[in-house]
Amino acid sequence: MMKYTKYPQDYQCEEVAAALMRAHPCLGHLGSKTRFWGWKQSLKYKMQNYRTKLGRLGHPEIRVNSLKHKREGQGKAAANIKKPRKAEVNYIPLHPKGKTTESLENKRIALLSELKKRDNEVVIKATMEKTFSHRRLEIVEQRPMIGEFKNRWPALFQQSEVNAEFLRITTKPLQSKFMSQLDHFSDKLIQIFKSKGGVKGQRIKDVLAIKDSCDNINTRRECILRSLVIYFNEDPGSFFKEYLTSAAEDAERDIGVMGIYTIRRDGDGESEDVGIVIEGIKVLTDVGSVIMGFIMLFGLIYALDLSFPDNLKYTFEFFQKVIMNLDGHKLNAKIQQLKIKLFA
């Protein structure tokens, strides 16, 4: 259990206890309806005790939650617990064998020089892999501002490394799984969207009309994404911003916490740039399309340990729990209803 998560949820302890009963029926508890309720409670206590021992040994994921690392006024052990909340498998991993925080910091500094060299992707990728534990501890423990963190780790802010970091954190591929699953459900989603009536249904039909007039696969995916946002009663206009070339600099100022921008030469022309803004800073540019921008932003939220934006929280949760199948046991009522229709 500790290999997969240091802070298992109730259903995870229950799954392990049930598996124990299936493997060893003789261990069942008489008088218990499930015959494994006692084992479930025992596992919870054993995990708590084991976490205490790991914390004393200095395990980073446990140590970050110790009382001496909490802010002033947070004197309770349960205050501000930093733990996986979006099915992260490697939330704060241990440093590689033989490495220390100081040696990994030296590698980070050396990486800044490697970025200036041409055709150096192999070295950059290897160094980012080695410094993963150092980077995660910095993100979770210090909560740096995006601008400051981008200056320290510029290599992370490119598409290949966002994909690699997501794989390190969740053990699942980002771009390929996201695209394949979205395409797999696209016909069913369109069918559900078109059955929607009222003002919301009309708005969705107007968005899907763009798909029907264009054969571009990314435009089709973008229309499905925008329709999904409307379906959840969220506003795509507050998150997906479009600008003319003459007003390109407005993107950083207009988009506050998080958003995706598109810059066009004229109102209906091809996009010149599609990028991502977080905390008023352009973190990725020239991602190619809005759907790719959404995928990269999804990956950056995991890589930077951020929360989903409030104005699109249901959309992001749908992609996390249904499309990417990350911690899909407990769903919001809106998402649960859509999932039932999707799998009907």
Side-chain angles (χ1 to χ4, degrees):
M1 289 177 71
M2 292 296 286
K3 179 181 178 182
Y4 291 97
T5 176
K6 307 298 183 295
Y7 296 90
Q9 297 182 40
D10 185 77
Y11 77 86
Q12 291 172 319
C13 291
E14 186 169 315
E15 286 178 352
V16 174
L20 179 64
M21 284 302 95
R22 288 194 296 270
H24 305 283
C26 62
L27 296 178
H29 290 161
L30 297 177
S32 170
K33 185 176 181 180
T34 60
R35 300 189 73 236
F36 57 74
W37 186 88
W39 285 108
K40 173 184 168 183
Q41 299 304 116
S42 177
L43 284 170
K44 287 184 177 181
Y45 287 119
K46 288 183 183 297
M47 291 293 286
Q48 290 173 2
N49 293 335
Y50 194 39
R51 280 199 300 268
T52 301
K53 292 179 180 178
L54 287 178
R56 290 170 182 167
L57 293 172
H59 192 290
E61 189 169 342
I62 310 301
R63 184 178 59 85
V64 77
N65 290 317
S66 63
L67 284 173
K68 66 180 181 180
H69 282 84
K70 295 186 183 297
R71 300 173 187 171
E72 186 177 349
Q74 294 181 336
K76 296 181 180 179
N80 195 29
I81 293 292
K82 297 173 182 177
K83 62 181 181 179
R85 303 187 188 279
K86 299 186 292 295
E88 298 96 335
V89 176
N90 296 311
Y91 189 62
I92 309 179
L94 293 168
H95 290 328
K97 190 174 181 179
K99 301 295 182 182
T100 64
T101 300
E102 291 73 21
S103 65
L104 293 174
E105 176 64 13
N106 292 333
K107 282 190 173 293
R108 182 197 69 80
I109 295 171
L111 181 61
L112 298 176
S113 300
E114 296 293 341
L115 284 168
K116 299 175 183 178
K117 301 176 183 179
R118 294 182 179 179
D119 303 322
N120 204 24
E121 290 80 8
V122 175
V123 175
I124 293 171
K125 183 177 180 180
T127 306
M128 288 293 285
E129 179 72 34
K130 291 176 183 176
T131 55
F132 172 55
S133 59
H134 181 46
R135 187 164 55 253
R136 286 298 296 177
L137 185 60
E138 179 180 335
I139 288 170
V140 176
E141 190 172 36
Q142 300 178 18
R143 301 290 184 189
M145 299 296 289
I146 297 301
E148 175 190 347
F149 189 77
K150 187 180 178 184
N151 290 333
R152 284 179 55 80
W153 298 94
L156 179 63
F157 296 88
Q158 47 189 332
Q159 293 187 42
S160 59
E161 280 306 320
V162 173
N163 276 295
E165 194 82 347
F166 187 86
L167 182 63
R168 295 180 194 115
I169 294 170
T170 66
T171 70
K172 290 189 177 184
L174 172 60
Q175 186 175 329
S176 58
K177 184 174 179 63
F178 195 108
M179 289 291 199
S180 63
Q181 287 291 91
L182 180 59
D183 291 344
H184 175 72
F185 290 117
S186 60
D187 290 338
K188 187 69 175 179
L189 283 170
I190 291 172
Q191 181 183 342
I192 294 169
F193 295 154
K194 286 184 175 180
S195 66
K196 194 71 177 176
V199 176
K200 190 188 296 185
Q202 186 57 51
R203 289 179 62 197
I204 291 175
K205 287 181 176 65
D206 293 340
V207 172
L208 293 178
I210 301 173
K211 169 190 71 69
D212 297 333
S213 63
C214 181
D215 294 331
N216 189 299
I217 183 63
N218 285 327
T219 302
R220 172 187 170 89
R221 291 165 175 160
E222 180 185 343
C223 290
I224 293 172
L225 171 60
R226 289 178 180 269
S227 299
L228 184 67
V229 175
I230 298 171
Y231 184 88
F232 285 133
N233 205 30
E234 296 173 322
D235 182 17
S238 66
F239 191 83
F240 303 102
K241 302 281 189 178
E242 294 198 2
Y243 302 90
L244 295 175
T245 306
S246 57
E249 296 303 319
D250 294 341
E252 290 180 294
R253 184 182 68 251
D254 292 349
I255 300 176
V257 178
M258 199 177 291
I260 297 171
Y261 69 85
T262 304
I263 296 174
R264 304 183 190 278
R265 188 176 297 277
D266 53 68
D268 300 319
E270 288 290 323
S271 60
E272 290 189 347
D273 180 24
V274 180
I276 300 167
V277 173
I278 301 176
E279 293 181 3
I281 295 173
K282 289 181 180 178
V283 293
L284 274 178
T285 59
D286 296 318
V287 296
S289 63
V290 170
I291 191 65
M292 184 58 69
F294 188 86
I295 294 171
M296 290 297 106
L297 178 55
F298 187 86
L300 281 171
I301 287 173
Y302 272 80
L304 302 173
D305 195 32
L306 303 174
S307 300
F308 293 143
D310 290 337
N311 53 346
L312 252 72
K313 63 180 180 180
Y314 296 120
T315 302
F316 274 96
E317 188 178 335
F318 173 81
F319 279 104
Q320 176 205 323
K321 297 188 174 183
V322 179
I323 298 298
M324 297 298 291
N325 194 26
L326 292 166
D327 192 22
H329 290 78
K330 187 177 181 180
L331 299 176
N332 177 275
K334 287 184 178 181
I335 300 172
Q336 183 67 54
Q337 289 172 7
L338 178 57
K339 183 179 179 180
I340 291 171
K341 293 179 181 178
L342 199 59
F343 287 90

